[in-house]
Amino acid sequence: MKTISTWAAHGGTQGVYSHASEATGTEMTFAVFVPPQAKVAPCPVVTYLSGLTCTHANVMEKGEYRRAAAEHGLIVVCPDTSPRGEDVADDDAYDMGQGAGFYLDATEEPWARHFRMESYIRDELPAVIAANFPVDADRQSILGHSMGGHGALTLALKNPERYRACSAFAPIVAPIDVPWGQKALPAYLGRDEQSWRQYDACALIADGARFPEFLVDQGTGDNFLTEQLRPELFDKACAEAGIPLTLRMQPGYDHSYYFISTFMADHLDWHAKRLKG
Amino acid sequence: MKTISTWAAHGGTQGVYSHASEATGTEMTFAVFVPPQAKVAPCPVVTYLSGLTCTHANVMEKGEYRRAAAEHGLIVVCPDTSPRGEDVADDDAYDMGQGAGFYLDATEEPWARHFRMESYIRDELPAVIAANFPVDADRQSILGHSMGGHGALTLALKNPERYRACSAFAPIVAPIDVPWGQKALPAYLGRDEQSWRQYDACALIADGARFPEFLVDQGTGDNFLTEQLRPELFDKACAEAGIPLTLRMQPGYDHSYYFISTFMADHLDWHAKRLKG
């Protein structure tokens, strides 16, 4: 692991690091906030997955997570959204290729070689974090925004033993049923729709996956609400499966970091209760 | 006044606006956060002045002021740091010209026509704000970072009847005695050193200007600390004049927004007490 930058912040340290990833075959950059409590004891780890077009930097600069993380003693890990580099496949569109990894392991060309974000987030990055930071690896949770909300929900549903809490801001909950997913899933996974279901939170629940409970915030002023996000589908899926869902429709909020930063402290409070309980 | 963007944030509205400025002869852009309390009553106004190279956007995105402003019911105004445009004089250096207005009224060519940031911040922008937002104009305060800390301290010392509180993050306190000022002051104001003293917080105090009290945070890991910032000179000037100064040397913090955002809530708490007292 290489240290790219570190800054004192909120009594702890905000850093940017990189490492040569086996999963993606590329150098991967990520941000980690270590709270002051880590000087005396290992701390729980919260992973935040970002949305389309983002890197580790967007939430690090605009997410306003450090105050609450320092209050609760949480390490916050912010990965990149895809492999990157000149020899990594890409697409001119903002919603395919670099910056749009969708937290899945691609099986189709030209993506299969590097686009292995599910393996990266689930297995490799947590091992790198555990080897280099004072983490209590038994206490992990995950959250994310938009495409990263999709990543958080699907990873939690597929690995309930791994994550003690999961929440999302304006998540993609049913990619099979919306344009972003209907473009990305066949491109990354091929035409067998059965293979798409493991990367669709609503389909996973319909197929029997479970998680103890979810918190979701969604702005009513979000331009992507009715076509791409459709939280009512997740509400229905959770209700039918008996999964407690706290779905908060936030009046007037859009899809930006002004929305995320407004409710970030609520989410970290919610995670802290479940990580320490 | 034109509205460029607005976002729901922390129960209020973060907006970006512009207007044709008489003072600078250019279109000037600024950011305003209006807290939820403004729906029922006029709110006090805090102006934040940014540092070299910044626009209104840096603190708006990275300053983390909205949570505390929403808690205390403060309108926060974030101006640009200079006039801008193709017909506005500039310099290739980051510390002269566009992005480096030093909150003064220039008298020298090629700057005198547009670089009138003191008049703009002191007179014109507050009138625009008062005409367009629900402000309690009798309750104003000012703070800033680096070059903007210089602006806040000098404006407060020259207009103590205007501002009820003043604080700064890593301010330039003695531009006459440091390289940034020794470059900018003669360029903007000419060779008469007497004309520089009205734009130097330490010189203003030595010449008799007074303000009730100041709060200053300064990181000990700030690369500009010993050559450009020299808070000990302001400490000495305040002590000799009997002005109460709370100077907090913050261990390990640098000159970045990770430093500013860590202590922003402390500053707004401090301003709120004095604005509402």
Side-chain angles (χ1 to χ4, degrees), chain B residues 160-216:
Chain B
E161 74 295 345
R162 165 74 65 85
Y163 301 109
R164 296 204 184 189
C166 175
S167 71
F169 303 98
I172 303 171
V173 298
I176 291 173
D177 296 306
V178 308
W180 276 333
Q182 288 163 348
K183 178 177 180 181
L185 296 176
Y188 288 130
L189 301 172
R191 304 217 155 265
D192 176 8
E193 297 192 14
Q194 201 59 35
S195 71
W196 306 352
R197 296 183 67 81
Q198 62 174 315
Y199 297 117
D200 181 301
C202 289
L204 281 164
I205 292 172
D207 292 348
R210 292 292 181 269
F211 197 76
E213 57 181 326
F214 295 108
L215 168 64
V216 171

Side-chain angles (χ1 to χ4, degrees), chain A residues 6-12 14 60-62 64-67 251-254 256 258-259 261-262, chain B residues 6-12 14 60-62 64-67 251-254 256 258-259 261-262:
Chain A
T6 63
W7 301 272
H10 286 276
Q14 177 65 59
M60 179 178 80
E61 296 177 349
K62 303 180 184 178
E64 304 193 13
Y65 57 75
R66 280 175 290 272
R67 183 187 60 82
Y253 285 85
D254 70 1
S256 73
Y258 297 101
F259 159 61
S261 61
T262 296
Chain B
T6 63
W7 301 272
H10 285 277
Q14 177 65 58
M60 179 179 80
E61 296 177 348
K62 302 180 185 178
E64 303 192 15
Y65 57 76
R66 281 176 289 272
R67 183 187 60 82
Y253 285 85
D254 70 2
S256 73
Y258 297 100
F259 158 62
S261 61
T262 296

Side-chain angles (χ1 to χ4, degrees), chain B residues 81-99:
Chain B
T81 52
S82 78
R84 296 179 192 272
E86 288 189 9
D87 63 339
V88 174
D90 200 6
D91 188 293
D92 287 342
Y94 77 99
D95 55 1
M96 273 300 296
Q98 296 186 35

Side-chain angles (χ1 to χ4, degrees), chain B residues 4 68 79 94 109 113 117-118 144-145 150 162-163 208 216 227 244 263 267 272 275:
Chain B
I4 296 172
Y94 77 99
E109 296 308 331
R113 179 172 167 215
M117 289 298 290
E118 180 180 32
H145 170 234
H150 148 75
R162 165 74 65 85
Y163 301 109
V216 171
E227 189 181 12
F263 300 105
H267 282 241
L275 287 163

Side-chain angles (χ1 to χ4, degrees), chain A residues 26 51-55 80-102 111 114-115 147 188:
Chain A
T26 64
L52 287 165
T53 76
C54 290
T55 68
D80 202 348
T81 53
S82 79
R84 295 179 192 273
E86 290 189 7
D87 63 339
V88 174
D90 201 5
D91 188 292
D92 286 342
Y94 77 97
D95 54 0
M96 273 299 297
Q98 297 186 35
F102 275 87
W111 313 109
H114 296 297
F115 282 73
M147 177 183 76
Y188 288 131

